């Protein structure tokens, strides 16, 4: 599933006043019950060119009325609706007169709160299932009978509330899709948002267009126009300092801010010593000479290495790097400033994965679990002296690429593989040293050379090397060696939320392995990571 060329739909949280994007437009909201797929639902809605945003399940009916959405989707979640302390939404939601679609847990909650029954199933249903359609109208219009949908549930509906009827079933689930047509309340036991659900997007389109009567009004041009207007209104005549890394996120932000406020923007590139080979030089040449956006260069390698010296815990490493970034900005801003705002290219997946465990102090309900901190959302000190500007905070990577392309960013940057803010420091497991950085930098350079030489760079979402903090025995030149292994990590993905390991050609892996072992001193073994996300993450730390 891909977005149309001209499409980009941002989302923003109602409680975050610094997010860009007017809320006074038609939209679909997703109430999140702790599912890792909640943001994927939002992304699928955006593929229909309709604005969407994700809110907590604790959002009140009054708050929903103020947002005036055209429709509501209740996400899945890890709980059972009958568990003590299971998350429940405001029961008045069913009387709003707004179309509602419950997905998995969301459907079960709808059934329970409206008087139906949900119990533990004798047999769970996980993975692909053939959907047998009983009512091919309304929600299931143009969804083919026996199409494959993705199931993931151990509970099932035992009896429906008054006025509901069954729209579809599977071999193991009698109520796979349900509806109360008069009240426009719908539920599906499967996950239409995941790529494995063949008819999922058609179902979502039916809900968005035919049931909620939304119009496809959001485009890249509309986002850029509004973002520029919001930036100017927020910043006024103040000055902004941008943390430029050279990736598509910060580069797109630089172009967007430069269009909005011109010389009020100062771009600063902090070379923390964790960049890939030749990238700092390339970045400065592009921005200073080709784009005519001046960049202040700061060499802070020694400072960053000292900040994480001896640190082996990945979470602590990320936080220290994030903390040091801010401190360097503060130091340099005194020289170049004063600045009122710090601009960051934070994206939605960064925010999602950095979310702390969400605990209701009264009920103890848990919603989302922190996976890992990101450098631009997890390490900010409490005494931060800047106000943050994050216009891209609610966008996915593919959406940012569309914005970048629309405002003139070259393909070289638009299609650049994602690169983490902490750089190579989190691709070296355990303690980071100068020697290890040089080893990984050279190995990573070989990886990029070979996939570019074969013109398959864009076949991968990411392709990189990882250095492990162990050594193994080898033999080179009839002599015993005791050296580091390099892990090759090639993945395919749409947005970084989920990913599959790439089936890279064997001869490519062989060439890369031979070159690394022969050309990079300190390495005697190369292995290939065949783990998907989940259960693994794309980065190793």
């Amino acid at each position: 599933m891909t977005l149309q060329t001209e499409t980009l739909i941002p989302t923003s949280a109602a409680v975050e006043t610094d997010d860009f994007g007017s809320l006074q437009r038609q939209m679909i909201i997703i109430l999140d019950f702790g599912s890792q797929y909640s943001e994927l639902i939002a992304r699928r809605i955006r593929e229909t060119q309709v604005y969407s945003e994700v809110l907590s399940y604790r959002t009140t009916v009054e708050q929903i009325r103020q947002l005036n959405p055209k429709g509501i989707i209740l996400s899945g979640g890890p709980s059972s609706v009958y568990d003590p302390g299971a998350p429940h939404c405001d029961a008045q939601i069913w009387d709003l007169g707004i179309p509602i679609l419950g997905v998995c847990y969301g459907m079960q909650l709808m059934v329970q709160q409206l008087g139906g029954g949900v119990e533990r199933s004798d047999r769970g249903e996980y993975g692909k299932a053939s959907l047998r359609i009983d009512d091919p109208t309304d929600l299931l219009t143009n969804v083919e009978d026996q199409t494959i949908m993705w199931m993931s549930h151990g509970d099932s509906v035992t009896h429906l509330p008054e006025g509901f009827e069954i729209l579809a079933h599977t071999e193991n689930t009698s109520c796979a899709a349900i509806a109360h047509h008069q009240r426009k309340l719908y539920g599906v036991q499967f996950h239409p948002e995941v790529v494995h659900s063949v008819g999922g997007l058609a179902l979502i389109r039916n809900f968005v267009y035919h049931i909620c009567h939304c119009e496809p009004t959001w485009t890249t041009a509309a986002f850029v126009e509004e973002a520029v207007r919001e930036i100017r209104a927020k910043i006024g005549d103040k000055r902004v300092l941008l943390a430029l890394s050279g990736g598509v996120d910060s580069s797109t932000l630089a172009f967007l801010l430069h269009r909005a406020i011109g010389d009020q923007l100062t771009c600063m590139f902090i070379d923390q010593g964790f960049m890939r080979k030749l990238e700092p030089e390339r970045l400065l040449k592009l921005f200073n000479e080709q784009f005519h956006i001046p960049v202040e260069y700061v060499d802070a390698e020694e400072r960053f290495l000292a900040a994480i010296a001896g640190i082996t815990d990945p979470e602590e490493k990320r936080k220290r790097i994030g903390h040091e970034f801010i401190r360097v900005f503060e130091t340099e801003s005194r020289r170049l400033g004063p600045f009122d705002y710090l601009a960051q290219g934070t994206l939605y997946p960064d925010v999602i994965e950095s979310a702390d465990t969400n605990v209701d102090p009264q009920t103890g309900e848990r919603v989302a679990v922190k996976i890992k901190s990101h450098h631009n959302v997890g390490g900010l000190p409490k005494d931060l002296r800047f106000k943050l500007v994050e216009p891209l905070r609610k966008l996915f990577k593919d959406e940012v690429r569309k914005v970048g392309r629309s405002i003139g960013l070259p393909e070289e940057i638009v299609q650049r593989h994602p690169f983490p803010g902490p750089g190579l420091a989190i691709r070296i497991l355990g303690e980071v040293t100068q020697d290890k950085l040089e080893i990984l930098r050279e190995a990573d350079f070989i990886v990029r050379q070979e996939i570019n030489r074969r013109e398959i760079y864009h076949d991968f979402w990411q392709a990189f090397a990882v250095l492990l903090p162990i050594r193994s025995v080898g033999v080179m030149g009839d002599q015993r060696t005791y050296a580091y292994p390099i892990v090759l990590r090639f993945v395919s993905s749409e947005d970084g939320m989920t990913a599959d390991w790439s089936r890279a050609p064997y001869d490519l892996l062989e060439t890369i392995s031979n070159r690394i072992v022969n050309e990079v001193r300190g390495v005697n073994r190369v292995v290939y990571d065949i783990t998907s996300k989940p259960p693994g993450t794309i980065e190793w730390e």
Side-chain angles (χ1 to χ4, degrees), residues 490-508:
F490 294 8
V491 298
S492 302
S493 180
E494 290 185 358
D495 53 24
M497 294 295 297
T498 60
D500 193 14
W501 63 277
S502 298
R503 278 63 173 172
Y506 288 165
D507 59 336
L508 169 67

Side-chain angles (χ1 to χ4, degrees), residues 19-72:
D19 287 339
F20 291 86
S22 172
L23 298 178
Q24 306 306 314
R25 286 185 169 86
Q26 61 176 3
M27 63 177 172
I28 304 292
I29 64 172
I30 298 95
L31 295 187
D32 180 19
F33 290 87
S35 172
Q36 294 296 328
Y37 293 135
S38 296
E39 287 72 27
L40 184 56
I41 297 175
R43 187 174 180 275
R44 294 299 180 233
I45 294 172
R46 297 176 200 176
E47 290 184 17
T48 70
Q49 301 185 52
V50 173
Y51 179 75
S52 64
E53 59 182 59
V54 179
L55 303 175
S56 166
Y57 71 88
R58 289 189 292 267
T59 303
T60 66
V61 164
E62 183 55 38
Q63 290 172 320
I64 293 174
R65 284 198 184 99
Q66 290 176 5
L67 293 174
N68 193 29
K70 300 282 283 186
I72 301 170

Side-chain angles (χ1 to χ4, degrees), residues 443-472:
D444 179 85
F445 190 66
I446 290 171
V447 171
R448 289 186 290 131
Q449 275 189 323
E450 289 301 326
I451 62 176
N452 277 311
R453 181 174 291 136
R454 294 183 181 227
E455 298 182 345
I456 57 173
Y457 180 88
H458 300 305
D459 290 356
F460 309 107
W461 172 264
Q462 283 178 257
F464 57 90
V466 176
L467 179 65
L468 299 185
I470 59 174
R471 300 192 187 195
S472 65

Side-chain angles (χ1 to χ4, degrees), residues 323-348:
H323 182 276
E324 199 64 26
F325 260 112
I326 298 299
R327 293 310 182 206
V328 171
F329 286 138
E330 289 183 328
T331 299
E332 295 301 319
S333 71
R334 296 187 188 100
R335 175 175 64 89
L336 299 168
F339 297 99
D340 295 276
Y341 291 92
L342 169 64
Q344 293 193 133
T346 307
L347 302 190
Y348 215 176

Side-chain angles (χ1 to χ4, degrees), residues 38-322:
S38 296
E39 287 72 27
L40 184 56
I41 297 175
R43 187 174 180 275
R44 294 299 180 233
I45 294 172
R46 297 176 200 176
E47 290 184 17
T48 70
Q49 301 185 52
V50 173
Y51 179 75
S52 64
E53 59 182 59
V54 179
L55 303 175
S56 166
Y57 71 88
R58 289 189 292 267
T59 303
T60 66
V61 164
E62 183 55 38
Q63 290 172 320
I64 293 174
R65 284 198 184 99
Q66 290 176 5
L67 293 174
N68 193 29
K70 300 282 283 186
I72 301 170
I73 296 179
L74 310 184
S75 81
S79 302
S80 293
V81 294
Y82 48 76
D83 287 343
H88 287 184
C89 61
D90 189 330
Q92 297 180 64
I93 191 175
W94 314 113
D95 298 320
L96 283 173
I98 299 172
I100 300 176
L101 171 64
V103 175
C104 200
Y105 179 90
M107 165 179 152
Q108 294 169 6
L109 181 63
M110 177 187 295
V111 168
Q112 184 201 55
Q113 290 193 329
L114 291 176
V118 177
E119 295 180 3
R120 186 73 179 173
S121 303
D122 293 333
R123 289 191 302 172
E125 193 171 27
Y126 302 93
K128 297 178 180 178
S130 177
L131 187 70
R132 299 175 182 177
I133 297 176
D134 302 299
D135 181 354
T137 62
D138 215 0
L139 186 68
L140 299 181
T141 302
N142 297 323
V143 177
E144 294 185 7
D145 188 31
Q146 298 190 41
T147 190
I148 296 299
M149 293 295 187
W150 189 261
M151 292 282 190
S152 181
H153 67 102
D155 297 331
S156 290
V157 173
T158 56
H159 64 277
L160 293 174
E162 184 179 352
F164 278 80
E165 60 185 79
I166 295 175
L167 302 182
H169 67 280
T170 68
E171 183 177 352
N172 292 335
T173 303
S174 60
C175 299
I178 63 174
H180 190 304
H181 293 291
Q182 184 177 359
R183 298 178 67 181
K184 294 189 179 299
L185 303 179
Y186 303 86
V188 294
Q189 186 59 72
F190 49 86
H191 288 273
E193 70 274 17
V194 302
V195 69
H196 307 292
S197 291
V198 178
L201 187 56
L203 185 152
I204 290 173
R205 286 179 177 274
N206 288 336
F207 181 72
V208 170
Y209 291 143
H210 305 309
I211 295 173
C212 298
H213 302 295
C214 293
E215 297 180 0
T217 56
W218 271 98
T219 66
T220 304
F223 171 78
V224 171
E225 179 182 352
E226 181 166 291
V228 168
R229 182 171 61 251
E230 294 281 357
I231 291 168
R232 288 172 177 166
K234 180 182 180 67
I235 302 304
D237 60 355
K238 306 298 184 182
R239 297 182 64 199
V240 178
L241 178 62
L242 168 61
L244 184 66
S245 70
V248 63
D249 307 334
S250 66
S251 297
T252 297
L253 183 54
F255 270 52
L256 188 63
L257 288 168
H258 194 259
R259 172 178 291 194
I261 59 176
D263 293 341
Q264 292 170 243
L265 170 68
T266 296
C267 293
M268 182 186 298
F269 172 63
I270 306 295
D271 188 352
Q272 83 286 56
F274 307 145
M275 296 292 288
R276 293 177 288 199
K277 186 175 180 178
L278 301 180
E279 285 201 332
E281 296 86 347
R282 179 60 177 161
L283 167 68
L284 295 174
K285 185 174 182 179
L286 278 174
F287 272 80
N288 287 324
E289 298 180 14
Q290 183 174 329
F291 306 153
H292 304 294
I293 300 177
V295 177
E296 294 287 337
Y297 175 79
V298 179
D299 183 355
E301 180 176 10
E302 292 185 4
R303 181 169 174 171
F304 276 86
L305 279 172
I308 61 172
I311 301 301
T312 58
D313 179 75
E315 186 68 12
E316 180 65 21
K317 191 188 299 183
R318 283 177 173 268
K319 286 185 175 181
R320 289 195 178 208
I321 291 171

Side-chain angles (χ1 to χ4, degrees), residues 203 224 293 370 382 395 427 488 534:
L203 185 152
V224 171
I293 300 177
K370 176 186 285 189
K382 294 181 179 179
L395 304 185
R427 292 180 179 174
L488 302 181

Side-chain angles (χ1 to χ4, degrees), residues 307-308 310-324 350-357 369-380 422 425-432 537 539-541:
I308 61 172
I311 301 301
T312 58
D313 179 75
E315 186 68 12
E316 180 65 21
K317 191 188 299 183
R318 283 177 173 268
K319 286 185 175 181
R320 289 195 178 208
I321 291 171
H323 182 276
E324 199 64 26
D350 300 337
V351 177
I352 297 162
E353 291 195 345
S354 297
D356 285 313
T357 301
V369 177
K370 176 186 285 189
I371 297 172
K372 58 188 176 182
S373 292
H374 286 259
H375 77 286
N376 47 5
V377 289
L380 300 180
I426 60 168
R427 292 180 179 174
I428 297 173
L429 273 65
E431 183 180 8
V432 178
T537 54
E539 299 291 343
W540 274 53
E541 287 194 343

